[in-house]
């Protein structure tokens, strides 16, 4: 069974005294912990980099209420935020001004984009920044 560094989660040599990736000293106490690091790394790919992603659901919601698409940009979904902003602004900037689309539809779409931003923030938090999380992508032994 491979041995993993308890600090960075990367695979190390069985007889290593320190991690060649992060420099962490591997002691006998850490040896037992490093065996458990395997499951931690497999369950959460982003933790091996030491980065923890957290998006505030309330902030994403409020930002999308202030400006359409801003909550999506806050979540790191920049293209989605720009597309929401352009499409909703163009539709209601042109068709709304000449009276073809009632104003309440704009407010409904604004609320929907805010709810979507909050939902995306929760999903990002649940998967530690991996918006396109798929457990089938994890390296698991085929048996």
């Amino acid at each position: 069974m491979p041995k993993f560094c308890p600090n960075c989660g990367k695979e190390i040599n069985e007889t290593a005294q320190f991690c060649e990736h992060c420099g962490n000293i591997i002691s006998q106490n850490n040896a037992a912990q490093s065996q458990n690091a395997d499951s931690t790394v497999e369950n959460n790919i982003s933790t091996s980099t030491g980065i923890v992603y957290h998006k505030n659901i309330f902030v994403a919601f409020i930002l999308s209420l202030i400006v359409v698409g801003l909550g999506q940009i806050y979540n790191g979904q920049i293209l989605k935020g720009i597309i929401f902003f352009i499409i909703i602004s163009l539709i209601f900037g042109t068709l709304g001004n000449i009276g073809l689309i009632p104003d309440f539809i704009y407010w409904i779409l604004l609320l929907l984009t805010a709810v979507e931003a909050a939902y995306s923030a929760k999903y990002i938090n649940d998967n530690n920044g991996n918006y396109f999380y798929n457990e089938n992508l994890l390296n698991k032994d085929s048996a």
Side-chain angles (χ1 to χ4, degrees), residues 19 40 47 55 64 80 91 93-94 102 111 113 118 123 130 134 137:
C19 176
T40 303
T47 57
K55 299 296 180 182
S64 268
K80 184 193 285 187
I91 289 173
T94 56
L111 184 62
T113 60
Y123 193 81
N130 190 355
N134 183 351
L137 298 176

Side-chain angles (χ1 to χ4, degrees), residues 51-92:
I51 299 172
V52 176
Y53 295 91
H54 179 74
K55 299 296 180 182
N56 190 317
I57 297 170
F58 183 71
V59 170
F61 183 81
I62 296 299
L63 287 174
S64 268
L65 285 179
I66 294 171
V67 176
V68 174
L70 194 56
Q72 285 75 13
I73 293 172
Y74 166 76
N75 286 337
Q77 301 168 324
I78 297 170
L79 184 60
K80 184 193 285 187
I82 291 171
I83 289 172
F84 280 1
F85 178 78
I86 290 172
I87 290 175
I88 293 176
S89 297
L90 285 177
I91 289 173
F92 289 99

